[in-house]
Amino acid sequence: MKIFCNQHHQLHRGQQEMFRGQLVDCHEVPQRLDHVIQELAKRPVGEMLQPPSHLDLDAALRRVHTSDYLSFLSTAWSKWVQLNPDNANRDALPSVWPLPGKHAFRMDKPPLNFAAKLGQYAFDAGTPLMSGTWAAAREGAACAVAAAQALIDGERATVALTRPPGHHAGAAYMGGYCFLNNAAIAAEHLKAQGIERIAILDIDYHHGNGTQAIFDERRDVYTVSIHGDPLTEYPFFLGHADERGSNEGEGFNLNLPLPRGTGFEDWYATLNLALQVISDYAPQALIVPLGLDTYEGDPISGFKLKSENYVTVGGALASLGLPTLLTLEGGYAVAEFGVNTVNVLEGFQT
Ligand code: SP5
Ligand code: ZN
């Protein structure tokens, strides 16, 4: 198992996120990945690697994200500080958004004001952007591309230790602590290298709205997500069972929402259903956006998986017998995050 680790992840270090009218301490903290790295030092389930420097990362990013969004991200910090020099000490968060719809707001005249631009490209105020965000997110995406290339080169399983996470990011928006959609970037790299059918199985607590939207009209990338019911759970505005894909992609998205409070037995039955559907699709590769926020101790989520369950989950993912790439998504019980993540990887190996 080849594990590509984002050596620059600590450059992304948010201070606070908006939650119900208050700024609260960020949940998505650098210590999360540090715990994974420490646990991998104790239980070396694979080779720890850096992505090679010769990757054409810009081409890989452009396969998923729009060029205007990428140029927004790459210049966001300097424009935030230009808005007001005092901003150098505070993270950028949006506070105004253009609601969509014919009778709502105009996007044919995109605003020049940078505080408005932030709202144009973000769907929540919980995703702080700071000086190191772009460098950290880019290096995470490089890990995803390197992990995809290693699958092409014949690895059975590869891991991209991505932080910040990616599955909430769309072609032209950030949100849910995500900026670049690492799983989608990996999928498009596989496609560019000639892989024709790919399944993405998202097992983060939250619906993988960005990934679903990116591949909504595609039948060559089958997106499946098991997550907390959006009627009550973030990201609320997508992730229902009746979303099955559009146009050419109709029938190639599957959402399996479960109620808050779901325990391992019901969750695992749903995982096995997802695995059967994926097996029937007969993909050439599997990508798993892996969130560990299904853990019973997660401070912002509502499923009840236990640490030992993650070994079983890893084994179930391996049972498909497909070349498999895992990206790291959510998981906010920081002290247990390393053990839970490595449990999945160990379960996959055995
Ligand atoms: C990648 C990922 O898992 N993103 C999740 C983003 C969730 N953002 C909204 C979190 C709401 C925080 N609630 C705080 C509750 C404190 N009791
Ligand atoms: Zn999550």
Side-chain angles (χ1 to χ4, degrees):
M1 181 174 271
K2 289 195 169 169
I3 304 170
F4 294 89
C5 186
N6 183 353
Q7 60 185 325
H8 300 319
H9 81 92
Q10 297 201 3
L11 296 173
H12 179 69
R13 180 183 290 273
Q15 298 172 48
Q16 293 184 305
E17 58 184 87
M18 179 63 80
F19 177 68
R20 298 186 186 168
Q22 281 193 87
L23 287 168
V24 301
D25 289 347
C26 280
H27 296 96
E28 202 292 286
V29 293
Q31 293 86 313
R32 297 174 61 245
L33 188 42
D34 295 340
H35 280 289
V36 177
I37 294 165
Q38 282 162 26
E39 190 63 23
L40 282 169
K42 286 190 215 157
R43 289 192 282 159
V45 296
E47 243 180 300
M48 287 288 261
L49 299 159
Q50 310 287 312
S53 51
H54 62 74
L55 290 175
D56 192 351
L57 183 59
D58 291 312
L61 299 183
R62 282 195 301 263
R63 288 189 189 105
V64 167
H65 296 286
T66 65
S67 53
D68 66 310
Y69 175 61
L70 292 169
S71 81
F72 159 80
L73 276 185
S74 65
T75 57
W77 182 251
S78 68
K79 294 197 170 152
W80 174 247
V81 176
Q82 271 170 34
L83 203 57
N84 174 352
D86 294 346
N87 281 352
N89 304 311
R90 42 179 100 94
D91 298 346
L93 282 180
S95 52
V96 60
W97 289 271
L99 275 178
K102 190 158 174 264
H103 301 288
F105 290 89
R106 289 180 65 169
M107 282 312 301
D108 57 322
K109 291 190 185 290
L112 298 173
N113 178 291
F114 186 73
K117 279 268 172 223
L118 272 171
Q120 178 188 331
Y121 290 112
F123 70 85
D124 70 11
T127 308
L129 184 155
M130 72 242 44
S131 60
T133 299
W134 175 239
R138 261 178 81 83
E139 183 69 7
C143 290
V145 176
Q149 184 58 44
L151 276 196
I152 297 286
D153 296 341
E155 283 298 311
R156 159 80 166 97
T158 61
V159 182
L161 294 179
T162 45
R163 195 196 149 262
H167 75 147
H168 293 301
Y173 51 86
M174 56 192 236
Y177 318 149
C178 302
F179 301 87
L180 296 172
N181 194 310
N182 302 305
I185 290 164
E188 288 290 20
H189 184 79
L190 293 178
K191 287 282 310 179
Q193 300 299 311
I195 303 287
E196 287 172 358
R197 289 161 77 82
I198 298 166
I200 301 182
L201 173 56
D202 189 319
I203 57 172
D204 186 278
Y205 179 73
H206 306 97
H207 175 241
N209 63 287
T211 320
Q212 175 178 313
I214 287 163
F215 297 113
D216 183 52
E217 299 190 8
R218 298 267 297 267
R219 57 172 57 216
D220 55 341
V221 180
Y222 195 141
T223 44
V224 182
S225 181
I226 304 171
H227 50 266
D229 189 335
L231 286 174
T232 59
E233 307 308 300
Y234 183 93
F236 306 115
F237 300 102
L238 208 66
H240 298 283
D242 65 351
E243 298 156 16
R244 299 302 313 271
S246 308
N247 301 330
E248 278 287 289
E250 195 176 342
F252 295 90
N253 181 71
L254 178 63
N255 284 332
L256 299 165
L258 294 171
R260 191 178 183 86
T262 295
F264 183 63
E265 195 181 327
D266 290 341
W267 187 90
Y268 191 62
T270 305
L271 178 71
N272 280 301
L273 172 67
L275 293 173
Q276 185 58 55
V277 167
I278 288 170
S279 170
D280 293 345
Y281 176 68
Q284 293 160 273
L286 174 68
I287 296 176
V288 179
L290 173 64
L292 288 306
D293 40 12
T294 50
Y295 177 56
E296 61 180 352
D298 197 274
I300 69 168
S301 308
F303 291 164
K304 302 263 177 281
L305 275 65
K306 298 182 187 304
S307 287
E308 71 213 40
N309 297 148
Y310 291 107
V311 180
T312 310
V313 172
L317 296 173
S319 73
L320 284 181
L322 291 167
T324 301
L325 183 158
L326 298 101
T327 61
L328 208 50
E329 305 294 341
Y332 309 101
V334 175
E336 295 88 354
F337 186 66
V339 169
N340 292 346
T341 302
V342 179
N343 279 359
V344 174
L345 304 185
E346 198 172 270
F348 192 100
Q349 297 283 55
T350 47

